[in-house]
Amino acid sequence: MEEKYQIIYEYIDGELPPEQESELFALLATDQEARNEMKSALAIKEAVRSDSVAFVPPIKSTNRIFSALGFSEPSSIVATTSISKFAALKNWLLLQTKYIATGISSAIVTAAIMLMLLPKESAKDSIVNVNSDIISKPKEIIAEQQQPIPEIKEKVVYKYIVVKQENAEIKSFASDDDVIKLNSSSIKIPIPQYNLNAGRTQLFPMNINITNLLPEEILPDKTDSKLSFEIKGLSHTSDFKEKVRPAEEQNLNNSSFSIMYDYSSELAFGLNYSRENFYQKFEGYENNQLYQYEQNPNFETFSLIGRYSPDVLKFDYGKIYSQAAIGGNKVGFVGRFGVGAEIPVFKGHSLQVGYDMSNMYYKHQSKWFSSSKKGLEFGVKLEL
Amino acid sequence: MSSKYKTYSDRDLVFLLRHDKNEVEKAFSELYNRYSPQVHAYCYRILNNPDIAEDIFQETFIRFYQNVKDNHKDLNVPGFLITIARNLCLNYKRDRKIGVPVEEARNLFYQDNYEKKELLDLITRALDLLEDEYREVFILKEYAGMQYNEIAKILNITPANAKTRAFRAKQKIKEILSPYLKDLTRN
């Protein structure tokens, strides 16, 4: 280290004369080594400041001093001792951070996986959309056509006759488009199922406020990693008035998994895999009749994500981001746009909460339809 | 204790200590609140032995109280406290050989993977490797929060000399921590 860097230390110590500050800033602007020197000096300074064991006298010592002088322990000293205990707790927590973080993360992920893997009783008892393959597996669905009508009433797809075209060409697209066929003579408008949220799966229903468990002095540190893994729960509402409950039989439904790469301090890109519901409302012809179909199947959606976190929206306790994604599933294309917040909890561990809007575009009988939904996503981010 | 004491200067509090029997305890408490962290940090880091440091820390404040009445008018309280603590530490060191030999400390320092150590832990170990003249200036500056002219008075050296020693102490610490700090500045 060269003597010319001494002004850096004088500045940090608050002992650099103001007239020399411009010299320091010029040095920092032009000399990479000087900037490194500054970083090192600040790191040492901060580390010393955090030496709470040295700076906080134990209550035992305080009591002995006051006792030896014949004084009672004043209230303000009591406050000091409580700080001492707090500092000791803080110190201990800092030392245990990685273990605590790993434990909490494991507990959250395990709980989430258990919740998603456990069988759901409601799936047995309620009318749900079990036909997740409604568009891509015609044979299975045609087989269901032969089941008796009472069972058809409990099928997943509700169909409403909206138009009857007497002279239209008689052609059924059902076998091509995987829609459950009903005997037209037996078609009745079913009683809508308005219990819309009964079957919603939430990934993290536990009411855990991690930040309240820890002293605020424990500031999360950044890690060097550019790669991160995110797991989130999704809770969305369709833009349509839903009359069919979401399909539930898939494990890990309404969850999202992403691998993200920090391209720069503000930009990140990644791959996302989501298991989610989209409420579909579309039309089609069967036997010269126009039907309106409504269903709420599961989809596996893969997408590419771009995320932007401007530096001006980064704070000590988190950052705000916006993101866009484009991808697809077996029936069509999916686009999303959302905003969210990321709150670091421990080194390399963050909580994320966001609001997004999703659109799915799909085709049925040569006609394009779209489904849209919006809602919350919430989960954890682990830096790899 | 009333918050009004927080607004009093050191000089006011020392005046109360000397002349107002009803205010002695509160004045002392306020001074203790103000300076016990620095004094404790000095003892703790200069001796690097928690038990001895606690004894000397307690003795420092007791002696301060006993001697403050006899001291001159413009007493520099933190300087006076640190001087008492320093003398007690020097006496203790003179009587007993303490501390970890440099070679042993150096081995201790390098035996673990430095990446796994907190920077503070590394700094405290690096302090053990410094010569006393540098280590003391570093602790007085960084832990006791003293200005160079105050350090100079306590150590009976010139302010310029104090500044140079502090700078060299940091240089040496930085050299010892260079593997860690290289990683730090790379990011």
Side-chain angles (χ1 to χ4, degrees):
Chain A
M1 189 164 58
E2 298 172 37
E3 295 290 326
K4 66 178 178 179
Y5 297 145
Q6 186 158 350
I7 59 170
I8 291 172
Y9 288 90
E10 288 179 21
Y11 178 75
I12 291 171
D13 290 337
E15 300 210 9
L16 186 69
E19 60 270 19
Q20 276 189 269
E21 284 183 0
S22 55
E23 183 188 337
L24 170 70
F25 297 142
L27 178 68
L28 290 173
T30 56
D31 189 336
Q32 178 63 45
E33 278 298 308
R35 291 195 288 274
N36 290 342
E37 196 70 37
M38 185 83 153
K39 283 183 186 175
S40 302
L42 287 171
I44 291 171
K45 192 97 177 169
E46 284 303 309
V48 168
R49 279 183 188 167
S50 71
D51 192 355
S52 55
V53 175
F55 281 113
V56 183
I59 183 171
K60 193 169 63 179
S61 293
T62 302
N63 284 341
R64 282 182 183 165
I65 292 167
F66 280 75
S67 170
L69 298 176
F71 296 156
S72 58
E73 188 181 328
S75 55
S76 59
I77 302 299
V78 173
T80 306
T81 59
S82 67
I83 290 167
S84 171
K85 287 175 187 170
F86 182 75
L89 174 65
K90 173 191 158 191
N91 227 28
W92 182 83
L93 283 170
L94 280 171
L95 290 171
Q96 307 300 325
T97 295
K98 62 181 176 182
Y99 303 110
I100 293 170
T102 305
I104 290 177
S105 302
S106 305
I108 290 173
V109 172
T110 306
I113 290 171
M114 289 302 291
L115 281 170
M116 288 182 283
L117 290 179
L118 284 173
K120 296 176 184 65
E121 290 183 9
S122 59
K124 294 177 185 173
D125 302 328
S126 58
I127 298 172
V128 294
N129 188 347
V130 296
N131 183 19
S132 63
D133 299 323
I134 190 141
I135 291 183
S136 67
K137 292 184 180 175
K139 288 178 185 175
E140 294 172 16
I141 293 160
I142 289 168
E144 289 181 18
Q145 176 191 0
Q146 295 164 8
Q147 293 178 6
I149 290 171
E151 291 184 23
I152 290 175
K153 284 184 178 176
E154 295 193 1
K155 291 291 180 191
V156 176
V157 178
Y158 291 88
K159 307 205 300 185
Y160 300 90
I161 301 172
V162 291
V163 177
K164 187 169 184 179
Q165 297 178 330
E166 296 291 347
N167 299 319
E169 181 186 358
I170 298 174
K171 184 179 178 184
S172 171
F173 292 90
S175 61
D176 297 329
D177 300 292
D178 314 334
V179 178
I180 295 175
K181 292 173 74 176
L182 297 175
N183 184 332
S184 59
S185 62
S186 67
I187 291 172
K188 294 176 181 175
I189 297 176
I191 299 168
Q193 304 294 311
Y194 284 111
N195 186 11
L196 301 180
N197 295 317
R200 291 280 171 176
T201 304
Q202 291 200 350
L203 184 54
F204 300 123
M206 300 86 75
N207 185 21
I208 295 176
N209 188 348
I210 292 175
T211 52
N212 284 349
L213 299 178
L214 299 168
E216 61 182 7
E217 281 82 352
I218 296 182
L219 296 176
D221 298 325
K222 287 185 176 178
T223 66
D224 303 335
S225 174
K226 289 181 178 295
L227 274 179
S228 57
F229 176 71
E230 296 172 5
I231 175 168
K232 292 179 190 170
L234 312 171
S235 179
H236 286 102
T237 305
S238 172
D239 283 356
F240 295 127
K241 189 174 182 181
E242 296 184 13
K243 297 173 184 172
V244 183
R245 291 188 206 168
E248 291 179 341
E249 88 286 9
Q250 282 190 346
N251 292 323
L252 299 170
N253 197 30
N254 288 317
S255 56
S256 151
F257 306 88
S258 306
I259 296 282
M260 298 296 296
Y261 174 76
D262 290 334
Y263 178 74
S264 68
S265 66
E266 294 186 320
L267 277 177
F269 298 98
L271 294 170
N272 173 262
Y273 167 71
S274 296
R275 305 190 73 145
E276 59 187 336
N277 291 97
F278 267 104
Y279 196 86
Q280 291 178 284
K281 194 171 180 179
F282 56 98
E283 296 170 354
Y285 285 99
E286 286 183 54
N287 299 325
N288 200 26
Q289 288 182 333
L290 178 61
Y291 289 87
Q292 181 171 294
Y293 308 96
E294 294 189 36
Q295 59 180 4
N296 207 343
N298 302 116
F299 291 103
E300 292 179 297
T301 307
F302 294 87
S303 52
L304 290 169
I305 302 179
R307 184 177 294 166
Y308 178 57
S309 313
D311 288 336
V312 292
L313 292 178
K314 288 177 182 167
F315 310 102
D316 287 345
Y317 287 94
K319 64 180 180 184
I320 307 292
Y321 63 81
S322 60
Q323 68 177 31
I326 186 162
N329 53 38
K330 64 185 177 184
V331 301
F333 306 102
V334 174
R336 303 184 209 277
F337 177 78
V339 294
E342 186 176 309
I343 304 151
V345 182
F346 297 111
K347 187 170 185 176
H349 298 69
S350 305
L351 297 178
Q352 287 186 328
V353 59
Y355 179 84
D356 71 11
M357 292 170 284
S358 304
N359 270 281
M360 182 176 76
Y361 299 94
Y362 56 98
K363 204 173 182 183
H364 180 67
Q365 294 180 354
S366 305
K367 190 174 176 183
W368 284 93
F369 298 90
S370 73
S371 292
S372 57
K373 61 178 185 176
K374 51 184 176 287
L376 293 174
E377 55 177 41
F378 39 89
V380 292
K381 173 182 175 180
L382 310 173
E383 291 181 20
L384 302 175
Chain B
M1 187 170 63
S2 167
S3 60
K4 71 177 183 180
Y5 293 94
K6 294 188 193 310
T7 63
Y8 288 180
S9 68
D10 287 358
R11 191 176 176 178
D12 296 336
L13 292 168
V14 168
F15 180 85
L16 292 176
L17 269 179
R18 286 172 176 163
H19 302 291
D20 192 336
K21 286 183 182 176
N22 296 328
E23 302 286 348
V24 166
E25 188 172 335
K26 288 171 182 171
F28 179 82
S29 295
E30 177 57 30
L31 288 171
Y32 181 85
N33 271 346
R34 280 185 198 179
Y35 298 113
S36 60
Q38 294 95 312
V39 176
H40 188 267
Y42 174 82
C43 297
Y44 200 90
R45 287 297 167 216
I46 207 82
L47 293 167
N48 210 12
N49 180 327
D51 292 336
I52 304 301
E54 293 308 330
D55 288 345
I56 289 182
F57 167 71
Q58 292 165 28
E59 187 64 22
T60 299
F61 273 92
I62 291 168
R63 291 202 182 189
F64 167 78
Y65 178 74
Q66 291 168 342
N67 291 285
V68 70
K69 292 179 181 178
D70 304 327
N71 221 288
H72 57 82
K73 277 184 182 177
D74 293 324
L75 176 66
N76 176 343
V77 175
F80 186 43
L81 281 165
I82 291 293
T83 302
I84 296 170
R86 181 169 182 265
N87 287 338
L88 290 169
C89 291
L90 287 175
N91 290 343
Y92 182 81
K93 283 182 175 181
R94 202 174 294 130
D95 295 342
R96 299 184 189 189
K97 187 181 177 184
I98 64 165
V100 183
V102 169
E103 275 313 306
E104 193 181 325
R106 197 181 290 277
N107 292 337
L108 199 65
F109 183 82
Y110 287 109
Q111 71 187 6
D112 296 320
N113 184 348
Y114 68 85
E115 288 178 348
K116 293 180 181 173
K117 295 293 177 188
E118 294 293 333
L119 180 57
L120 176 60
D121 187 28
L122 296 174
I123 290 170
T124 56
R125 288 186 179 206
L127 276 175
D128 286 341
L129 302 177
L130 292 184
E131 292 94 331
D132 280 349
E133 62 179 324
Y134 298 123
R135 190 156 69 101
E136 183 157 39
V137 172
F138 180 86
I139 291 170
L140 286 169
K141 181 71 191 160
E142 300 300 327
Y143 281 91
M146 310 197 89
Q147 300 292 308
Y148 289 123
N149 56 356
E150 293 174 309
I151 295 171
K153 280 182 189 169
I154 290 170
L155 300 182
N156 200 23
I157 56 178
T158 63
N161 196 349
K163 193 184 287 190
T164 304
R165 283 192 197 183
F167 178 63
R168 287 188 182 156
K170 287 170 187 170
Q171 276 184 313
K172 285 173 184 286
I173 288 175
K174 191 170 165 284
E175 281 168 22
I176 293 168
L177 302 183
S178 57
Y180 183 96
L181 293 172
K182 265 183 192 169
D183 286 349
L184 188 78
T185 53
R186 199 177 294 142
N187 299 317

